[in-house]
Each structure stands twice: as structure tokens, then as C-alpha cells.
Amino acid sequence: MHDEFLMGNEAIALGALAAGVNVVCGYPGTPSTEVLETVARRRGDRVYVEWSVNEKTAMEIAGGAAYAGARALVTMKQMGLNVASDPLMCLEYIGVKGGLVVLVADDPGPISSQTEQDTRFFAAFSKVPVLDPSSAEEAYRMVQEAFDLSEEYVTPVFLRPTTRVSHGYASLQVKDPGEYTVHEPEGFVKDSARWVIFPRLSFANHRKIEERNVRLQDVFSASPLNRIEPEDDACPCARKGIATGGFSYTYVMEAREQLGRLRTLKVSTPFPFPEKRAVEFLSGLDEVLCVEELDPVIERQLIYVCGKYGLTTRILGKMTGHMPLSGENSRDSVLSAIASFMNVPLPAASEEASDPPPALPVRPPVLCAGCPHRASFYAVKQAMKGRKTIFCGDIGCYTLGNAMPLDMVDTCLCMGAGLGIAQGINHLEKDRSCFAFVGDSTFFASALPGVVNAVYNQAEFTLIVLDNSTTAMTGHQPHPGTGRTMMGDVVEKVSIANVLRGIGVTAVETVDPLNYQAAVEVVRRTADLPGVKAIIFRSPCVALFRSASRVTIDPARCVGCKKCIREIGCPALSIRDGKAVADPAQCNGCTLCAQLCPTGAITGGEPHA
Amino acid sequence: MRKNIILCGVGGQGTVLASRLISAAAMARQIPVMSAETIGMAQRGGSVFSHLRMGENLFSPMIARGEADLILAFEPGEAVRMLPYLKKDGQMIVSSRPVMPVTASLAGNVYRAEDMLDYLRAHVSRLLIVDAEKALREVGSPKVLNLILLGAALKCGALGLEEADLKEAIRRQIPEKFHELNFRALAYE
């Protein structure tokens, strides 16, 4: 064993390696991404790792590996689970041979997601057991336990951290590689009565699953995973208790130090719910406050337990208005909720200043200085000026194209949805020029069926592929267009242009968006062609290929017209004393501003230099 | 020893690396450390923070209002935003150089760093303002604000760590070709 300072996601990866994981796959998504990246960095030669094309494919690969007796880990964010839900729902009915752990990171807030969905509910829906860690240290232990549980009970098992667990750091003790379990897969054994899903098999297995999950309630009730932290002898409210789980547990424990120690139930297995442990906790309590994020999962379960066992404890939480229905909890929000539940005054924090602070700057996230997406959006905007248009966006850095002054994202729903939305609007409004913007990674992940559908069903729109040769938003993961794999191999790239032509898109143009005039001309001549046409804007992500060049602005020639600032919204540009200035710490020399400057005041810079 | 430290600024300013260096230095002294920070979309030019806690028997990496012993602010506006987290007699170290959001440049409502600093002067008893423009020029790189602020924190004793601890952390966390520059920034006065 040795000490390391680890991010929760790194701890999960090292825990999986310690458990002898054989196959790891997934699709990037904040806050889950670092798990697989850490596996790739720290794995031994016998571990296979890949970024799969999407979560559904990843789930199937992990399932196949588990059929062959391997220990497999599949990683995704909560909305990735929606994509992977088809194979997962069925996998639960088929079962596994080697341990299969499904790592799904939830995102209360939400901080970087479209929904605040709760994987604990998904666990109950899919009947898959779920472990809910409160810290990096717990996540490290739980991922190892999850493999054991998966094999013992022949089921996939969820490990469900939330953002603060996944991205929190702690110093913790981890095993040395020499201490890792070695798991030797047996290999796939043919048995069609086991591995081929038919209604009769589903019927038989459904009963077994339900019976198993009832057994698991008892197993989990007896497990230290679900524990009762006793009240103090001096506890000011002896007949009140707190039920909590996940990261909120850490807030509750901090509040206990400040306000006095109420009896506390920590639930680490929200499904199957440890009913007997809950009954033990509830006995003798008049009121319980449930402190959890996302859905009221523990709260509903406790209300159910009270009904089932005839208990009169009042269960308070989100459904009674005692806790917020959406968003993250915080140290302060939990402290204040518990103080009010206990009827004690809130300990004084800092004194609130009597005079309000000056208006604080609002800082919405923006495309980086020099980002080629800015140039792509601007070219389309200029080419289509004065026309009736709709710009359907998608998921990635380029969602930020919605910000002023670009204002080039009219819709954004979920991965790959922009193509479908554009087609749907076009069927109703033939006079509107419809565009769908999709990034290269999203293109491979989920846009392909949309393109096939559009070509076959005679849709009319312009597909814009923003190809920056990486999965930028989540931290630059490879994808089929990049030509390298997580195993370190250099492979043949899958050509986006060839894929489009193969499907039947006849007009496919590729242009560098940082060449402003050329980009505008390509859009002008392509957008009015009939049917489905595609423009690939190709230019590498600036965060990956940092240019050392910078633009300089000659104050003598700058007339202060602010065109550069008004038109493109580059964070490196600002106005000082009436003149435009470029911040050398941010500028990447893309030259878009120089190409727009009416007086030629901006010089220098060199894209891709 | 127990210490709660908040680092705040704008995405891209190097708060995360600074937080990592403090953590590594504390770890090397066998002090348990926890931290939490902004990762993901908000990093692209948004307000970012790191909470960092050192000491025994901590449960949460997050810091509550009025609990921070030290706030290292990379930007005056962000310093004001985080002020409610500062302990009554806590230390604040702030860079004087504002980072204007694009929206402010567009709308023409550019805020004045001096207004932010005045507010801090009125409300923080232990305030150290670092003239970032001058410091970066003298050290000779626009990218080392994080090390300059860490150096200032060392010198006023607010970190509970020694310069040697941080230098060792730099050696282990940062590529060698940047060591000299970073040491210079750390030692800047």
C-alpha cells in the first residue's frame, strides 16, 4: 500500500485495476471521463481499454467481455446511460459471468449536463444494484466490492458517484500493483439457453431477479455499507434523525460537528434498499430529515418502509418542502436545513457586510480565443445574413456558439439531436434554410442514423461538421476520426467525408474556417443546393495545437470601431482607452479578427503555427 | 494544523495547478489534504474555484461560508465574489489585474478593478494586493500569476508551508524546463 493524492475518478480507476479488471470501455462525459483515462495511464499490459464510439457500444463490449468471464468496467455520465439503456436493461435479464461494473457519474446542479436525472432511480427501474460513494476513499473500496457483488449475484452493478465525489481530491492509501488481484477469464462457453434472450427466458429470469433483490435488501441491511451513526448522549433532539447518502453525507457529518450529533443513517445502497437497517434506524424517532441530491430516493424509500412496517415517524425532505427540489446541496445549505430541523440557531459565519459589493462581472463560459468553431459559426452567419434560417446545435464546446455576439445556436437537445430537429422543422417550413451543426466526435457517436434518415427520407438541410480532430469539451479524447486509440495504436482514420458520400450525400465540401473568405463562399454555394449537403469545417482544437503566434494591434491604425469585439466575441480582445487590445496571455493568433479589421490595424498571428 | 484555503479566478488562470502544488507540498509533510474544484464547461472563461482543506478529521472537501483561513484570488472581481467565505480574521491575497468577460466588453459596462479593490480594503483586515501587471513583467512571463500569488502567500505565512516544500512540489509536478521560471515567480517580491 502507498499514499496518493487522487481525484475520485482516479481512485475508482485504481480500485478497478486492483480488482483485476480485464476490459474497460466507455464514452467521455463530464464528470466521468477521468476514470477511463486513468485506467489507460496506469494499466498493466493485460488490461484492454478503449474509448468506444458511444455508450451503447461500450455497454455491449463490456457485456461481451463479461460473458467471457472477464471483469469489465464501462464508464459514462448520467445521460450516456440513456444511450446505453437498451443493452443494459436486457443485460440485467441475461446476467453476467465475469463481474460487470457500470460506472455512471451523476451531476447535481447540473454543472455540465442537460438533465438532473438520478441513476439511483434508474437502478430501481432496471433492477440493477447500485453503490453510492460519499468520497474518493469510499469509491476506491466500493468499485472492488462491486466486482465481487456482480459475480456473486450474476448481475451488472452500478457505481454512481456524483460530480463532487468524482472530481474531489483526497490523500488516500491504495494498493501497489504487486498487490492487485489477478483475474483470469475462463472464456466464453457456448450455452444458448443462457445467452440468447427469448420471452420465456426473460419470464424465468425476471422472477429470479426479483427474488434476488429481496435477498440483497437483507444482505445490504447487514452490511457496514449502510450504517447508523449513533446520536450523542447530549444530543439536543434525541427523537430526531437524519438520513443521507452520497456526497451529502459529508455535509451532514460536518454539520453534526457544529450543531450536535443526531442519529444518522448513511445509505450506500439506495437499491436494493436496506429496509431492515432503516427500521432499526427509525425505531424511536419522531422525525427524520432526508438530505440527498437529485431525486428524493431515500425519502420515498423511508416513507415506504414506514407504511410497510407500521411506523409513525414523519419523513421530511424534498417532498415536504424542507429541502430544495433541484440543484446541488452545499455545506451552508445543509447546515441551515439541519439547524432549522433541530430548532437551533445557525452558528454565526462571517458577518454580512452592511454595504453591498459593487456589481460583479457575469462570466458565462465562452469559446476559447482562437477556437476554430468561432470562425465556422461566423462564416455561416455572414453567408446567410438576411435569410430565414434555423441553426440547430448539438453537444460539445460548440454549444457555446449560442453566446452573444455569435448567437448561432437556436436549439440544443442531446447528443446528435440537431440533425433530427433540423429535419423536423424543415418538413413544416420549406422556406427556411435549416442547418445542423455537429462536432466530429458527436458525428461518430450519434449523428450517423440521422444522416441516413435524412438522405433516405428526402430531407433538405445543410449539415455542418465542426471537425477539430478531437473530443474537446471533455478534455481531448481520441475518436474514430483521429487515427489513434487508447491502447496507443496509430490506425487508419475513418473519413467523415467518405462516410457522408457513402451514405449518399453528394455535396460534401471541406474548408478551413480560419480562411474567412473561402469559408463564407463555401457556405454560399452549398446551402442552396437541393437535399442534404454537408460542409466540413476542419481546423484543429486550439487547446490541443497551441499556436505560439499572437496578433498585435497598432493603436495608431485602430479607429476604435469595435468591429472585432462586436462581431466575434473573442475573449482575448477588449477595449482600453477607446482602442482594441489583444491579451497576449489568451491570443492564439487565429487571425480571424485581423481578417475582419476594416483598417488593417491587426497584424501578425498565424493559425496552426 | 487545520487550514481551509480557497483559490479563485477565471478559467485558464492556473488556479488548479496552484491548488495541486499546495496539496502535494502538504502531502509530503504527511498532512491529510482534500480538495474540490471546477472542471468542465465552466472552465472556458467562467468563474472557477478550488477549495482545499488540510488537517485531521475532515469529512468534506468543501469549505463553508466564513471558514476560509486564506483566499488566493487571481482576479479582483472574483475576490469580491468569494469574500463571504473568508474567516473574520482570514488572509486575502488578490491580484490587481482584472480579466474582463467578453459580455462586459460587448455591453460596454466594463467594471473598474479599483472599485473591487476598494471594497476589499473596506472589508478585509488582512489584505495583500499584488500588482500583477508589474510582477508578470518583471518575472518575464504572462503565465505565472499562480506562482507569484503562491509566493506571496508563503511570505506572509498564510499557507503553513515553507518555500522548500513548494519547490519540491514544483520539481515533481511541472516539467523541468519550466522549473527556473516557476522558482523565480515563487521568489518574486
Side-chain angles (χ1 to χ4, degrees):
Chain A
M1 301 286 275
H2 64 280
D3 284 335
E4 275 195 63
F5 187 59
L6 293 169
M7 182 191 266
N9 281 344
E10 294 174 333
I12 291 167
L14 294 189
L17 290 173
V21 73
N22 306 105
V23 170
V24 181
C25 47
Y27 187 77
T30 311
S32 70
T33 313
E34 299 82 3
V35 175
L36 193 143
E37 292 186 317
T38 306
V39 168
R41 213 168 53 238
R42 304 280 294 261
R43 75 189 167 90
D45 292 339
R46 294 154 58 99
V47 179
Y48 175 79
V49 60
E50 73 167 39
W51 281 124
S52 307
V53 74
N54 64 26
E55 293 87 351
K56 172 173 152 63
T57 305
M59 184 71 74
E60 291 153 357
I61 291 165
Y67 285 8
R71 287 195 154 188
L73 171 69
V74 55
T75 76
M76 62 199 71
K77 69 182 296 178
Q78 85 278 31
M79 278 154 333
L81 180 58
N82 303 341
V83 177
S85 63
D86 200 4
L88 179 65
M89 294 299 292
C90 302
L91 263 175
E92 173 58 13
Y93 277 73
I94 284 288
V96 295
K97 188 162 84 179
L100 172 56
V101 176
V102 181
L103 181 284
V104 182
D106 283 354
D107 185 23
I111 300 173
S112 337
S113 304
Q114 303 101 287
T115 71
E116 280 204 293
Q117 65 191 65
D118 193 322
T119 299
R120 297 174 302 163
F121 254 137
F122 204 109
F125 171 57
S126 59
K127 309 182 194 302
V128 173
V130 58
L131 302 183
D132 188 12
S134 300
S135 65
E137 191 178 2
E138 250 185 28
Y140 178 74
R141 275 187 282 117
M142 277 185 185
V143 67
Q144 300 177 64
E145 290 178 58
F147 279 109
D148 292 339
L149 271 173
S150 173
E151 280 161 12
E152 186 174 352
Y153 294 95
V154 206
T155 173
V157 172
F158 279 122
L159 180 67
R160 175 267 192 187
T162 52
T163 304
R164 300 290 176 208
V165 174
S166 279
H167 285 168
Y169 276 82
S171 37
L172 54 121
Q173 270 219 322
V174 293
K175 289 179 182 162
D176 301 324
E179 297 169 284
Y180 289 178
T181 300
V182 177
H183 181 78
E184 297 283 1
E186 181 196 10
F188 183 73
V189 178
K190 286 197 181 195
D191 179 358
S192 64
R194 177 170 179 189
W195 301 119
V196 181
I197 199 163
F198 269 114
R200 206 152 55 140
L201 180 65
S202 298
F203 169 77
N205 284 356
H206 185 186
R207 204 193 63 213
K208 288 184 199 159
I209 292 165
E210 298 296 351
E211 289 169 355
R212 177 205 72 208
N213 280 345
V214 171
R215 274 204 320 279
L216 271 176
Q217 288 178 356
D218 291 347
V219 171
F220 287 156
S221 282
S223 157
L225 284 171
N226 300 300
R227 61 176 182 269
I228 299 169
E229 313 273 0
E231 60 271 39
D232 255 354
D233 290 342
C235 177
C237 322
R239 297 182 68 81
K240 291 187 177 187
I242 310 259
T244 185
F247 196 68
S248 291
Y249 168 78
T250 72
Y251 298 144
V252 169
M253 294 306 282
E254 296 279 354
R256 269 166 64 103
E257 303 293 302
Q258 284 176 271
L259 299 172
R261 299 180 179 186
L262 297 190
R263 189 190 305 178
T264 299
L265 174 67
K266 178 189 194 297
V267 179
S268 299
T269 63
F271 180 83
F273 195 76
E275 281 186 14
K276 291 190 174 137
R277 182 75 88 197
V279 171
E280 181 194 344
F281 163 71
L282 291 169
S283 66
L285 295 182
D286 296 334
E287 276 188 331
V288 167
L289 180 68
C290 299
V291 182
E292 57 192 318
E293 286 170 321
L294 303 175
D295 289 328
V297 171
I298 296 171
E299 187 178 345
R300 279 176 189 275
Q301 285 294 340
L302 289 182
I303 292 169
Y304 168 82
V305 166
C306 286
K308 181 171 172 180
Y309 294 86
L311 305 174
T312 54
T313 315
R314 281 186 68 215
I315 308 298
L316 312 178
K318 289 170 180 275
M319 295 190 292
T320 54
H322 291 81
M323 296 300 291
L325 288 167
S326 61
E328 283 198 273
N329 289 332
S330 69
R331 287 277 308 281
D332 295 296
S333 73
V334 168
L335 185 71
S336 129
I338 294 178
S340 134
F341 174 64
M342 293 171 75
N343 264 324
V344 297
L346 205 54
S350 62
E351 287 152 60
E352 289 288 325
S354 50
D355 55 325
L360 290 172
V362 184
R363 299 188 191 275
V366 289
L367 293 170
C368 301
C371 175
H373 297 335
R374 175 178 292 104
S376 302
F377 282 123
Y378 188 65
V380 176
K381 183 175 186 172
Q382 287 308 103
M384 301 308 291
K385 214 170 192 170
R387 303 276 302 274
K388 191 176 172 190
T389 51
I390 178 150
F391 303 118
C392 300
D394 224 296
I395 305 293
C397 288
Y398 51 102
T399 314
L400 300 177
N402 79 317
M404 297 306 275
L406 287 173
D407 189 19
M408 281 295 287
V409 178
D410 294 320
T411 72
C412 178
L413 186 66
C414 66
M415 288 283 289
L419 285 84
I421 306 268
Q423 292 169 54
I425 289 170
N426 174 254
H427 288 310
L428 287 174
E429 296 184 61
K430 294 292 181 197
D431 61 333
R432 196 186 274 277
S433 203
C434 296
F435 287 77
F437 290 82
V438 68
D440 43 350
S441 188
T442 307
F443 176 81
F444 289 112
S446 54
L448 291 174
V451 181
V452 176
N453 187 74
V455 169
Y456 178 70
N457 284 308
Q458 305 295 301
E460 184 126 343
F461 75 102
T462 307
L463 175 65
I464 304 276
V465 183
L466 300 167
D467 181 5
N468 60 1
S469 298
T470 189
T471 315
M473 179 58 99
T474 45
H476 304 109
Q477 290 74 32
H479 62 66
T482 62
R484 61 193 170 90
T485 72
M486 285 308 267
M487 294 296 281
D489 297 322
V490 175
V491 298
E492 192 68 33
K493 294 176 188 177
V494 179
S495 153
I496 295 173
N498 288 350
V499 167
L500 289 169
R501 290 195 189 98
I503 290 171
V505 181
T506 48
V508 181
E509 296 246 23
T510 301
V511 63
D512 180 351
L514 295 178
N515 185 343
Y516 171 65
Q517 278 308 335
V520 171
E521 274 158 33
V522 166
V523 178
R524 283 207 181 113
R525 70 167 175 263
T526 309
D528 288 333
L529 296 174
V532 182
K533 49 270 171 187
I535 300 168
I536 302 169
F537 282 118
R538 183 177 295 150
S539 181
C541 174
V542 278
L544 211 52
F545 300 93
R546 281 220 181 271
S547 164
S549 72
R550 314 267 177 268
V551 298
T552 46
I553 305 181
D554 179 359
R557 292 173 76 180
C558 175
V559 293
C561 71
K562 297 191 192 169
K563 182 176 183 193
C564 52
I565 287 172
R566 218 177 42 236
E567 292 288 298
I568 58 176
C570 174
L573 296 174
S574 57
I575 290 287
R576 196 180 291 177
D577 305 324
K579 306 273 183 180
V581 288
D583 176 2
Q586 292 198 64
C587 177
N588 286 299
C590 80
T591 74
L592 181 63
C593 58
Q595 294 175 63
L596 299 179
C597 177
T599 65
I602 309 179
T603 54
E606 188 185 351
H608 329 307
Chain B
M1 182 186 82
R2 227 190 221 204
K3 254 198 197 318
N4 297 323
I5 302 172
I6 291 179
L7 300 97
C8 62
V10 178
Q13 283 192 303
T15 51
V16 171
L17 178 63
S19 154
R20 200 77 77 251
L21 291 174
I22 301 173
S23 305
M27 281 271 294
R29 287 199 159 206
Q30 312 293 324
I31 305 167
V33 197
M34 284 183 169
S35 75
E37 59 218 10
T38 322
I39 296 177
M41 190 188 256
Q43 279 177 290
R44 310 262 190 273
S47 302
V48 297
F49 66 79
S50 287
H51 286 198
L52 192 152
R53 307 185 74 198
M54 306 183 213
E56 304 284 343
N57 300 321
L58 297 171
F59 292 96
S60 184
M62 307 300 286
I63 294 167
R65 291 161 83 97
E67 210 180 54
D69 299 288
L70 168 66
I71 294 182
L72 269 186
F74 288 52
E75 207 278 343
E78 297 311 308
V80 174
R81 203 189 303 278
M82 282 292 152
L83 185 56
Y85 286 87
L86 190 65
K87 238 181 211 167
K88 203 163 167 249
D89 54 353
Q91 170 81 49
M92 179 177 274
I93 298 174
V94 59
S95 155
S96 60
R97 191 176 66 156
V99 177
M100 287 298 157
V102 178
T103 43
S105 297
L106 276 173
N109 58 353
V110 176
Y111 70 93
R112 283 167 27 95
E114 210 43 44
D115 294 346
M116 300 293 170
L117 296 174
D118 281 344
Y119 186 79
L120 294 173
R121 285 185 190 106
H123 294 280
V124 181
S125 52
R126 293 172 60 200
L127 178 70
L128 177 63
I129 298 173
V130 175
D131 184 343
E133 206 103 20
K134 176 163 167 272
L136 292 171
R137 198 172 50 241
E138 290 181 12
V139 175
S141 161
K143 306 260 185 191
V144 289
L145 180 60
N146 47 11
L147 270 298
I148 289 170
L149 292 177
L150 278 182
L154 270 178
K155 271 153 236 148
C156 64
L159 283 181
L161 297 166
E162 304 295 329
E163 184 171 351
D165 300 328
L166 279 178
K167 280 181 126 168
E168 186 51 37
I170 289 170
R171 279 191 202 98
R172 274 181 287 127
Q173 305 264 326
I174 296 178
E176 200 182 338
K177 60 176 172 175
F178 299 119
H179 286 180
E180 271 317 305
L181 173 65
N182 279 300
F183 292 157
R184 214 160 60 234
L186 193 67
Y188 177 81
E189 297 201 46

